[in-house]
């Protein structure tokens, strides 16, 4: 009778660091059934030049990631279960530029496979780029990475290149990255690490993987809240003083990664703990900026300012007592991002900077009453529509148009101008053609609240008395949806607005009583 395999034996072989003959320490065992070997892809599909040296490389990587384990004479009867179940499924692709033995790819794979909360799968083929420095080529690969994630039912893909100088790692999720969000690990974000990973670099890779994962359910969100803060703490020493042996680009990348992870942590922890993490993120972003090289492309600087501005905007939203200070600083960096990001090369990032600058200027006006900020906000939001058209991106188009309607409503109120208010009303009606009660009920209700406010103001500033009934209906519908979905704050706002309209309607009914002596 054959002897069953011991799954733990997969990682008992010492791991050799790429480029050296010295093995690292033995890695702990993964106590779970050994996964099935991945089929090798055809050489003619997805992998240019699938024959020759590259084919041998891919074959070596596949065999390395799934080694054959000899039968043991005295196997363990039943594998011990994990101490903690895996929450995220991570795919590690073979590194482009790896040696035939696949040692560099194996190092990244095993560094993540150490973590019980991650289920790590190998992808024994790399994602090839003719020019890894071309942002357009990198963005174009997102379609391929998403296909892999959907096919494997995974949450995150780690891929990239390796050379004698070290790793350049990138992260890809199953959904297109939202470049407006803080701490977004978009296609242009790179984690650069030295060839030989020590404990600090392994900690940073794990923390970055957690921060880059986009939680799809409450279990994953709870895991992020629990796992990310302790995973971030070991990075302090590495980020405060990056090793001088690293290149300037590697130091900058480590600082940017630490800043992203700290921002993600600030968003995960309770608001009372968030400010400390936001401050660490700010310091790391500023330190990364000092390591920007003179010959680096301008868009690299634009991305850094976008990252910093998004973190500051989130900080202003969470730390109310200093909202004005952080929002003013965020506007400064959003402007710098919009100036340095090229629309032709990085359209999504450029449009995100324009949109977020417009929204930040609107919020800043609400705190200062400066109408010049509203004019600038309108220009930024309208510019973003050059990238996000209704035909190609209806959801993003509706989001931006809704922001335009909100700005026009406030601007029309400040100017007491019915024409501007009518533009706000028209914008709301266009948005409601895309946002529907069935598909996006909360977004639909939010637009109705803006519509009701614009109609109310139109009546106040001489736009005719027929708008109040429509305003009351908009507020009633908005309140019903907010209440049904448990959105207490917006429901209270809609209820107060409805009360103002109903009070004004009652007053007008009283004044409209016909004089009985009228002839």
């Amino acid at each position: 009778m054959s002897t069953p395999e011991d799954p733990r034996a997969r990682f008992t072989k010492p791991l050799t660091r790429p480029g050296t003959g010295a093995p690292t320490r033995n890695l702990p065992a993964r106590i779970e059934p050994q996964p099935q070997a991945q089929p090798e892809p055809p050489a003619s599909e997805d992998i240019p030049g699938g024959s020759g040296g590259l084919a041998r490389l891919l074959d070596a990587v596949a065999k390395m990631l799934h080694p054959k384990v000899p039968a043991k004479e005295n196997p363990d009867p039943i594998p011990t279960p994990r101490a903690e179940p895996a929450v995220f499924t991570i795919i590690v692709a073979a590194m482009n530029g790896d040696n035939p033995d696949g040692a560099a790819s194996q190092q990244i794979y095993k560094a993540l496979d150490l973590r019980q909360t991650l289920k790590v799968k190998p992808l024994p083929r790399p994602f090839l780029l003719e020019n890894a420095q071309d942002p357009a080529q990198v963005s174009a690969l997102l379609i391929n990475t998403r296909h892999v994630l959907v096919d494997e039912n995974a949450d995150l893909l780690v891929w990239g290149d390796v050379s004698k100088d070290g790793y350049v790692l990138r992260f890809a999720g199953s959904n297109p990255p939202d470049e407006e969000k803080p701490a977004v690990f978009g296609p242009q974000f790179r984690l650069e690490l030295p060839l030989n990973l020590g404990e600090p670099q392994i900690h940073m890779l794990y923390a970055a993987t957690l921060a880059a994962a986009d939680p799809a359910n409450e279990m994953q969100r709870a895991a992020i809240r629990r796992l990310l803060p302790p995973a971030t703490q070991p990075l302090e020493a590495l980020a405060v003083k990056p090793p001088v042996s690293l290149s300037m680009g590697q130091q900058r990348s480590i600082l940017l990664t630490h800043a992203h992870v700290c921002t993600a942590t600030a968003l995960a922890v309770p608001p009372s703990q968030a400010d400390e993490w936001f401050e660490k993120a700010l310091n790391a972003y500023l330190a990364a900026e000092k390591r920007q090289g003179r010959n680096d492309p301008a868009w690299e600087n634009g991305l850094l300012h976008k990252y910093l501005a998004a973190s500051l905007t989130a900080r202003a939203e969470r730390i109310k007592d200093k909202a004005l200070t952080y929002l003013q600083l965020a506007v400064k960096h959003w402007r710098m991002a919009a100036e340095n990001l090229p629309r032709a090369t990085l359209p999504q990032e450029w449009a995100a900077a324009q949109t977020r600058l417009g929204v930040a200027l609107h919020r800043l006006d609400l705190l200062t009453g400066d109408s010049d900020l509203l004019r600038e906000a309108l220009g930024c939001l309208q510019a973003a529509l050059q990238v996000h058209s209704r035909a190609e991106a209806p959801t993003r188009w509706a989001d931006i148009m809704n922001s335009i309607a909100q700005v026009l409503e406030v601007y029309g109120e400040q100017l007491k101008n019915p024409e501007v208010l009518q533009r706000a009303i028209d914008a709301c009606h266009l948005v409601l053609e895309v946002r529907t009660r069935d598909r996006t009920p909360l977004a639909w209700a939010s637009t109705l609240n803006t519509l009701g406010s614009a109609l109310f103001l139109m009546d106040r500033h001489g736009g005719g008395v027929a708008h109040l009934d429509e305003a009351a209906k908009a507020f009633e519908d908005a309140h019903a949806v907010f209440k049904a979905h448990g959105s207490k704050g917006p429901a209270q706002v809609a209820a107060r607005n409805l009360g103002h309209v109903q009070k004004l309607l009652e007053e007008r009914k009283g004044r409209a009583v016909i004089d009985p002596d009228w002839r």
Side-chain angles (χ1 to χ4, degrees), residues 412-488:
E413 163 68 359
Q414 289 184 0
L415 298 179
K416 297 178 173 53
N417 188 326
E419 293 181 3
V420 176
L421 292 169
Q422 184 61 53
R423 289 175 59 193
I425 294 170
D426 294 341
C428 287
H429 285 306
L430 290 173
V431 172
L432 291 172
E433 293 176 4
V434 176
R435 292 181 171 183
T436 66
R437 185 168 187 167
D438 293 335
R439 290 182 300 187
T440 55
L442 292 177
W444 178 80
S446 176
T447 301
L448 279 184
N449 194 67
T450 302
L451 173 62
S453 298
L455 289 164
F456 178 79
L457 294 172
M458 174 73 87
D459 178 90
R460 173 184 290 179
H461 298 304
V465 297
H467 298 288
L468 285 185
D469 289 332
E470 186 180 353
K473 181 66 167 60
F475 288 135
E476 285 175 357
D477 291 343
H479 177 261
V481 169
F482 286 138
K483 185 177 180 180
H485 286 79
S487 298
K488 295 181 180 180

Side-chain angles (χ1 to χ4, degrees), residues 17 25 107-108 110-112 114-115 158 165-167 169 171 191-209 231 234-239 241-247 250-251 253-255 257-258 261:
R17 292 192 175 103
R25 61 180 177 82
Q107 185 173 216
I108 297 298
K110 288 191 174 182
L112 290 175
L114 286 167
R115 309 291 178 166
V158 181
D165 298 321
Y167 293 95
L169 302 178
F171 303 87
L191 172 55
E192 299 183 23
L193 296 173
L195 200 58
N196 297 321
L197 302 184
E199 288 296 326
Q201 289 80 20
I202 292 176
H203 283 305
M204 176 158 284
L205 175 60
Y206 172 61
T209 300
L235 311 183
E236 290 289 327
L238 184 62
K241 192 175 181 180
V244 295
S245 59
L246 301 181
S247 68
Q250 289 173 334
Q251 293 183 37
S253 173
I254 285 174
L255 287 164
T257 302
H258 184 244
V261 171

Side-chain angles (χ1 to χ4, degrees), residues 15-20 57 60-61 64-65 95 98-110 162 167 195:
L15 173 65
T16 301
R17 292 192 175 103
T20 74
L57 166 62
V61 171
M64 172 274 299
L65 293 176
M95 296 292 110
D98 201 355
N99 293 327
D101 63 359
S105 304
Q106 185 186 25
Q107 185 173 216
I108 297 298
Y109 178 88
K110 288 191 174 182
V162 65
Y167 293 95
L195 200 58

